[in-house]
PDB file of all heavy atoms in Angstrom:
ATOM      1  N   THR A 319      -6.692  -9.577 -10.904  1.00  0.00           N
ATOM      2  CA  THR A 319      -5.606  -8.960 -10.224  1.00  0.00           C
ATOM      3  C   THR A 319      -4.553  -9.943  -9.567  1.00  0.00           C
ATOM      4  O   THR A 319      -3.319  -9.692  -9.779  1.00  0.00           O
ATOM      5  CB  THR A 319      -6.040  -8.070  -9.145  1.00  0.00           C
ATOM      6  OG1 THR A 319      -7.097  -7.008  -9.648  1.00  0.00           O
ATOM      7  CG2 THR A 319      -5.015  -7.171  -8.555  1.00  0.00           C
ATOM      8  N   ILE A 320      -5.037 -10.954  -9.030  1.00  0.00           N
ATOM      9  CA  ILE A 320      -4.151 -12.091  -8.522  1.00  0.00           C
ATOM     10  C   ILE A 320      -3.297 -12.598  -9.627  1.00  0.00           C
ATOM     11  O   ILE A 320      -2.009 -12.739  -9.450  1.00  0.00           O
ATOM     12  CB  ILE A 320      -5.079 -13.267  -7.900  1.00  0.00           C
ATOM     13  CG1 ILE A 320      -5.785 -12.669  -6.681  1.00  0.00           C
ATOM     14  CG2 ILE A 320      -4.173 -14.324  -7.552  1.00  0.00           C
ATOM     15  CD1 ILE A 320      -6.620 -13.701  -6.096  1.00  0.00           C
ATOM     16  N   ALA A 321      -3.851 -13.002 -10.772  1.00  0.00           N
ATOM     17  CA  ALA A 321      -3.049 -13.514 -11.940  1.00  0.00           C
ATOM     18  C   ALA A 321      -1.988 -12.495 -12.409  1.00  0.00           C
ATOM     19  O   ALA A 321      -0.856 -12.870 -12.685  1.00  0.00           O
ATOM     20  CB  ALA A 321      -3.961 -13.919 -12.988  1.00  0.00           C
ATOM     21  N   ASP A 322      -2.343 -11.199 -12.454  1.00  0.00           N
ATOM     22  CA  ASP A 322      -1.419 -10.213 -12.881  1.00  0.00           C
ATOM     23  C   ASP A 322      -0.209 -10.039 -11.887  1.00  0.00           C
ATOM     24  O   ASP A 322       0.877  -9.993 -12.359  1.00  0.00           O
ATOM     25  CB  ASP A 322      -2.114  -8.783 -13.066  1.00  0.00           C
ATOM     26  CG  ASP A 322      -3.066  -8.798 -14.339  1.00  0.00           C
ATOM     27  OD1 ASP A 322      -3.017  -9.742 -15.053  1.00  0.00           O
ATOM     28  OD2 ASP A 322      -4.006  -7.940 -14.329  1.00  0.00           O
ATOM     29  N   ILE A 323      -0.656  -9.998 -10.691  1.00  0.00           N
ATOM     30  CA  ILE A 323       0.488  -9.807  -9.610  1.00  0.00           C
ATOM     31  C   ILE A 323       1.479 -11.138  -9.674  1.00  0.00           C
ATOM     32  O   ILE A 323       2.667 -10.924  -9.714  1.00  0.00           O
ATOM     33  CB  ILE A 323      -0.146  -9.597  -8.219  1.00  0.00           C
ATOM     34  CG1 ILE A 323      -0.785  -8.331  -8.218  1.00  0.00           C
ATOM     35  CG2 ILE A 323       0.956  -9.669  -7.255  1.00  0.00           C
ATOM     36  CD1 ILE A 323      -1.614  -7.969  -6.910  1.00  0.00           C
ATOM     37  N   LEU A 324       0.981 -12.262  -9.565  1.00  0.00           N
ATOM     38  CA  LEU A 324       1.742 -13.410  -9.414  1.00  0.00           C
ATOM     39  C   LEU A 324       2.599 -13.781 -10.648  1.00  0.00           C
ATOM     40  O   LEU A 324       3.743 -14.065 -10.704  1.00  0.00           O
ATOM     41  CB  LEU A 324       0.915 -14.632  -9.154  1.00  0.00           C
ATOM     42  CG  LEU A 324       0.143 -14.653  -7.737  1.00  0.00           C
ATOM     43  CD1 LEU A 324      -0.691 -15.820  -7.534  1.00  0.00           C
ATOM     44  CD2 LEU A 324       1.164 -14.481  -6.597  1.00  0.00           C
ATOM     45  N   LYS A 325       1.948 -13.555 -11.958  1.00  0.00           N
ATOM     46  CA  LYS A 325       2.686 -13.762 -13.160  1.00  0.00           C
ATOM     47  C   LYS A 325       3.789 -12.840 -13.294  1.00  0.00           C
ATOM     48  O   LYS A 325       4.851 -13.069 -13.886  1.00  0.00           O
ATOM     49  CB  LYS A 325       1.695 -13.748 -14.303  1.00  0.00           C
ATOM     50  CG  LYS A 325       0.793 -14.932 -14.343  1.00  0.00           C
ATOM     51  CD  LYS A 325      -0.194 -14.800 -15.621  1.00  0.00           C
ATOM     52  CE  LYS A 325      -1.074 -16.182 -15.633  1.00  0.00           C
ATOM     53  NZ  LYS A 325      -1.972 -15.959 -16.809  1.00  0.00           N
ATOM     54  N   THR A 326       3.488 -11.540 -12.947  1.00  0.00           N
ATOM     55  CA  THR A 326       4.606 -10.553 -13.060  1.00  0.00           C
ATOM     56  C   THR A 326       5.738 -10.779 -12.123  1.00  0.00           C
ATOM     57  O   THR A 326       6.872 -10.686 -12.540  1.00  0.00           O
ATOM     58  CB  THR A 326       3.954  -9.135 -12.745  1.00  0.00           C
ATOM     59  OG1 THR A 326       2.888  -8.796 -13.555  1.00  0.00           O
ATOM     60  CG2 THR A 326       5.007  -8.060 -12.798  1.00  0.00           C
ATOM     61  N   LEU A 327       5.550 -11.321 -10.848  1.00  0.00           N
ATOM     62  CA  LEU A 327       6.518 -11.576  -9.927  1.00  0.00           C
ATOM     63  C   LEU A 327       7.351 -12.892 -10.442  1.00  0.00           C
ATOM     64  O   LEU A 327       8.655 -12.802 -10.381  1.00  0.00           O
ATOM     65  CB  LEU A 327       6.047 -11.780  -8.530  1.00  0.00           C
ATOM     66  CG  LEU A 327       5.361 -10.548  -7.910  1.00  0.00           C
ATOM     67  CD1 LEU A 327       4.865 -10.925  -6.596  1.00  0.00           C
ATOM     68  CD2 LEU A 327       6.389  -9.376  -7.800  1.00  0.00           C
ATOM     69  N   VAL A 328       6.582 -13.838 -10.723  1.00  0.00           N
ATOM     70  CA  VAL A 328       7.251 -15.069 -11.151  1.00  0.00           C
ATOM     71  C   VAL A 328       8.029 -14.900 -12.558  1.00  0.00           C
ATOM     72  O   VAL A 328       9.199 -15.457 -12.621  1.00  0.00           O
ATOM     73  CB  VAL A 328       6.173 -16.169 -11.547  1.00  0.00           C
ATOM     74  CG1 VAL A 328       6.750 -17.437 -12.145  1.00  0.00           C
ATOM     75  CG2 VAL A 328       5.553 -16.671 -10.267  1.00  0.00           C
ATOM     76  N   ARG A 329       7.702 -14.093 -13.345  1.00  0.00           N
ATOM     77  CA  ARG A 329       8.366 -13.783 -14.643  1.00  0.00           C
ATOM     78  C   ARG A 329       9.703 -12.964 -14.456  1.00  0.00           C
ATOM     79  O   ARG A 329      10.632 -13.017 -15.246  1.00  0.00           O
ATOM     80  CB  ARG A 329       7.399 -13.102 -15.638  1.00  0.00           C
ATOM     81  CG  ARG A 329       7.997 -12.983 -17.026  1.00  0.00           C
ATOM     82  CD  ARG A 329       6.977 -12.644 -18.015  1.00  0.00           C
ATOM     83  NE  ARG A 329       6.254 -11.427 -17.652  1.00  0.00           N
ATOM     84  CZ  ARG A 329       4.865 -11.462 -17.267  1.00  0.00           C
ATOM     85  NH1 ARG A 329       4.227 -12.647 -17.297  1.00  0.00           N
ATOM     86  NH2 ARG A 329       4.274 -10.380 -16.897  1.00  0.00           N
ATOM     87  N   ASN A 330       9.721 -12.101 -13.477  1.00  0.00           N
ATOM     88  CA  ASN A 330      10.710 -11.103 -13.223  1.00  0.00           C
ATOM     89  C   ASN A 330      11.640 -11.286 -12.023  1.00  0.00           C
ATOM     90  O   ASN A 330      12.693 -10.653 -12.049  1.00  0.00           O
ATOM     91  CB  ASN A 330      10.151  -9.805 -13.256  1.00  0.00           C
ATOM     92  CG  ASN A 330       9.459  -9.325 -14.570  1.00  0.00           C
ATOM     93  OD1 ASN A 330      10.129  -8.936 -15.468  1.00  0.00           O
ATOM     94  ND2 ASN A 330       8.189  -9.421 -14.609  1.00  0.00           N
ATOM     95  N   LEU A 331      11.385 -12.203 -11.123  1.00  0.00           N
ATOM     96  CA  LEU A 331      12.134 -12.349  -9.953  1.00  0.00           C
ATOM     97  C   LEU A 331      13.005 -13.701  -9.948  1.00  0.00           C
ATOM     98  O   LEU A 331      12.658 -14.653 -10.777  1.00  0.00           O
ATOM     99  CB  LEU A 331      11.228 -12.455  -8.729  1.00  0.00           C
ATOM    100  CG  LEU A 331      10.479 -11.201  -8.403  1.00  0.00           C
ATOM    101  CD1 LEU A 331       9.696 -11.522  -7.038  1.00  0.00           C
ATOM    102  CD2 LEU A 331      11.369  -9.954  -8.101  1.00  0.00           C
ATOM    103  N   SER A 332      14.110 -13.621  -9.445  1.00  0.00           N
ATOM    104  CA  SER A 332      15.067 -14.797  -9.279  1.00  0.00           C
ATOM    105  C   SER A 332      14.800 -15.731  -8.051  1.00  0.00           C
ATOM    106  O   SER A 332      15.627 -16.664  -8.059  1.00  0.00           O
ATOM    107  CB  SER A 332      16.446 -14.282  -9.341  1.00  0.00           C
ATOM    108  OG  SER A 332      16.703 -13.552  -8.177  1.00  0.00           O
ATOM    109  N   VAL A 333      13.907 -15.285  -7.211  1.00  0.00           N
ATOM    110  CA  VAL A 333      13.684 -16.012  -5.971  1.00  0.00           C
ATOM    111  C   VAL A 333      12.307 -16.650  -6.174  1.00  0.00           C
ATOM    112  O   VAL A 333      11.383 -16.209  -6.990  1.00  0.00           O
ATOM    113  CB  VAL A 333      13.745 -15.286  -4.692  1.00  0.00           C
ATOM    114  CG1 VAL A 333      15.220 -14.879  -4.576  1.00  0.00           C
ATOM    115  CG2 VAL A 333      12.814 -14.075  -4.820  1.00  0.00           C
ATOM    116  N   PRO A 334      11.950 -17.788  -5.446  1.00  0.00           N
ATOM    117  CA  PRO A 334      10.591 -18.321  -5.475  1.00  0.00           C
ATOM    118  C   PRO A 334       9.511 -17.323  -5.032  1.00  0.00           C
ATOM    119  O   PRO A 334       9.663 -16.475  -4.167  1.00  0.00           O
ATOM    120  CB  PRO A 334      10.694 -19.522  -4.486  1.00  0.00           C
ATOM    121  CG  PRO A 334      12.040 -19.782  -4.413  1.00  0.00           C
ATOM    122  CD  PRO A 334      12.835 -18.510  -4.468  1.00  0.00           C
ATOM    123  N   VAL A 335       8.356 -17.504  -5.588  1.00  0.00           N
ATOM    124  CA  VAL A 335       7.135 -16.669  -5.282  1.00  0.00           C
ATOM    125  C   VAL A 335       5.927 -17.550  -4.785  1.00  0.00           C
ATOM    126  O   VAL A 335       5.742 -18.595  -5.322  1.00  0.00           O
ATOM    127  CB  VAL A 335       6.674 -15.847  -6.619  1.00  0.00           C
ATOM    128  CG1 VAL A 335       5.381 -15.178  -6.301  1.00  0.00           C
ATOM    129  CG2 VAL A 335       7.728 -14.962  -7.127  1.00  0.00           C
ATOM    130  N   THR A 336       5.491 -17.170  -3.637  1.00  0.00           N
ATOM    131  CA  THR A 336       4.399 -17.906  -3.000  1.00  0.00           C
ATOM    132  C   THR A 336       3.255 -16.884  -2.650  1.00  0.00           C
ATOM    133  O   THR A 336       3.409 -15.605  -2.911  1.00  0.00           O
ATOM    134  CB  THR A 336       4.748 -18.719  -1.805  1.00  0.00           C
ATOM    135  OG1 THR A 336       5.235 -17.691  -0.793  1.00  0.00           O
ATOM    136  CG2 THR A 336       5.949 -19.515  -2.099  1.00  0.00           C
ATOM    137  N   CYS A 337       2.164 -17.559  -2.143  1.00  0.00           N
ATOM    138  CA  CYS A 337       1.164 -16.551  -1.637  1.00  0.00           C
ATOM    139  C   CYS A 337       0.339 -17.307  -0.527  1.00  0.00           C
ATOM    140  O   CYS A 337       0.455 -18.535  -0.391  1.00  0.00           O
ATOM    141  CB  CYS A 337       0.118 -16.103  -2.653  1.00  0.00           C
ATOM    142  SG  CYS A 337      -0.835 -17.465  -3.370  1.00  0.00           S
ATOM    143  N   LYS A 338      -0.226 -16.435   0.394  1.00  0.00           N
ATOM    144  CA  LYS A 338      -1.085 -17.054   1.398  1.00  0.00           C
ATOM    145  C   LYS A 338      -2.431 -16.636   1.466  1.00  0.00           C
ATOM    146  O   LYS A 338      -2.674 -15.422   1.319  1.00  0.00           O
ATOM    147  CB  LYS A 338      -0.318 -16.699   2.853  1.00  0.00           C
ATOM    148  CG  LYS A 338      -0.943 -17.388   4.110  1.00  0.00           C
ATOM    149  CD  LYS A 338      -0.124 -17.011   5.249  1.00  0.00           C
ATOM    150  CE  LYS A 338      -0.636 -17.600   6.478  1.00  0.00           C
ATOM    151  NZ  LYS A 338      -1.812 -16.953   6.993  1.00  0.00           N
ATOM    152  N   ILE A 339      -3.375 -17.605   1.436  1.00  0.00           N
ATOM    153  CA  ILE A 339      -4.732 -17.178   1.210  1.00  0.00           C
ATOM    154  C   ILE A 339      -5.608 -17.728   2.467  1.00  0.00           C
ATOM    155  O   ILE A 339      -5.163 -18.467   3.381  1.00  0.00           O
ATOM    156  CB  ILE A 339      -5.294 -17.879  -0.068  1.00  0.00           C
ATOM    157  CG1 ILE A 339      -5.355 -19.391   0.056  1.00  0.00           C
ATOM    158  CG2 ILE A 339      -4.509 -17.420  -1.204  1.00  0.00           C
ATOM    159  CD1 ILE A 339      -6.125 -19.979  -0.972  1.00  0.00           C
ATOM    160  N   ARG A 340      -6.948 -17.347   2.436  1.00  0.00           N
ATOM    161  CA  ARG A 340      -7.884 -17.975   3.278  1.00  0.00           C
ATOM    162  C   ARG A 340      -9.007 -18.786   2.420  1.00  0.00           C
ATOM    163  O   ARG A 340      -8.954 -18.543   1.109  1.00  0.00           O
ATOM    164  CB  ARG A 340      -8.615 -16.887   4.042  1.00  0.00           C
ATOM    165  CG  ARG A 340      -7.803 -16.331   5.237  1.00  0.00           C
ATOM    166  CD  ARG A 340      -8.761 -15.442   6.040  1.00  0.00           C
ATOM    167  NE  ARG A 340      -8.054 -14.965   7.269  1.00  0.00           N
ATOM    168  CZ  ARG A 340      -8.485 -15.101   8.499  1.00  0.00           C
ATOM    169  NH1 ARG A 340      -9.812 -15.424   8.681  1.00  0.00           N
ATOM    170  NH2 ARG A 340      -7.900 -14.718   9.551  1.00  0.00           N
ATOM    171  N   LEU A 341      -9.675 -19.628   3.120  1.00  0.00           N
ATOM    172  CA  LEU A 341     -10.645 -20.290   2.386  1.00  0.00           C
ATOM    173  C   LEU A 341     -11.973 -19.400   1.932  1.00  0.00           C
ATOM    174  O   LEU A 341     -12.183 -18.535   2.663  1.00  0.00           O
ATOM    175  CB  LEU A 341     -11.334 -21.433   3.292  1.00  0.00           C
ATOM    176  CG  LEU A 341     -10.274 -22.443   3.751  1.00  0.00           C
ATOM    177  CD1 LEU A 341     -10.900 -23.405   4.787  1.00  0.00           C
ATOM    178  CD2 LEU A 341      -9.749 -23.334   2.656  1.00  0.00           C
ATOM    179  N   LYS A 342     -12.475 -19.707   0.825  1.00  0.00           N
ATOM    180  CA  LYS A 342     -13.704 -18.940   0.315  1.00  0.00           C
ATOM    181  C   LYS A 342     -14.867 -19.692   1.017  1.00  0.00           C
ATOM    182  O   LYS A 342     -14.801 -20.773   1.563  1.00  0.00           O
ATOM    183  CB  LYS A 342     -13.695 -18.868  -1.076  1.00  0.00           C
ATOM    184  CG  LYS A 342     -12.426 -18.117  -1.670  1.00  0.00           C
ATOM    185  CD  LYS A 342     -12.713 -17.709  -3.038  1.00  0.00           C
ATOM    186  CE  LYS A 342     -13.495 -16.477  -3.166  1.00  0.00           C
ATOM    187  NZ  LYS A 342     -13.550 -15.869  -4.544  1.00  0.00           N
ATOM    188  N   ASP A 343     -16.097 -19.038   0.756  1.00  0.00           N
ATOM    189  CA  ASP A 343     -17.230 -19.636   1.396  1.00  0.00           C
ATOM    190  C   ASP A 343     -17.664 -21.016   1.017  1.00  0.00           C
ATOM    191  O   ASP A 343     -18.134 -21.930   1.668  1.00  0.00           O
ATOM    192  CB  ASP A 343     -18.404 -18.747   1.184  1.00  0.00           C
ATOM    193  CG  ASP A 343     -18.248 -17.468   1.831  1.00  0.00           C
ATOM    194  OD1 ASP A 343     -17.456 -17.365   2.894  1.00  0.00           O
ATOM    195  OD2 ASP A 343     -18.852 -16.550   1.502  1.00  0.00           O
TER     196      ASP A 343
END
Side-chain angles (χ1 to χ4, degrees):
T319 306
I320 290 177
D322 288 344
I323 293 174
L324 294 179
K325 288 180 180 179
T326 301
L327 295 179
V328 170
R329 187 167 53 246
N330 295 280
L331 295 180
S332 60
V333 295
V335 177
T336 63
C337 67
K338 185 170 179 286
I339 67 168
R340 281 187 173 229
L341 299 174
K342 303 196 79 171
D343 292 337

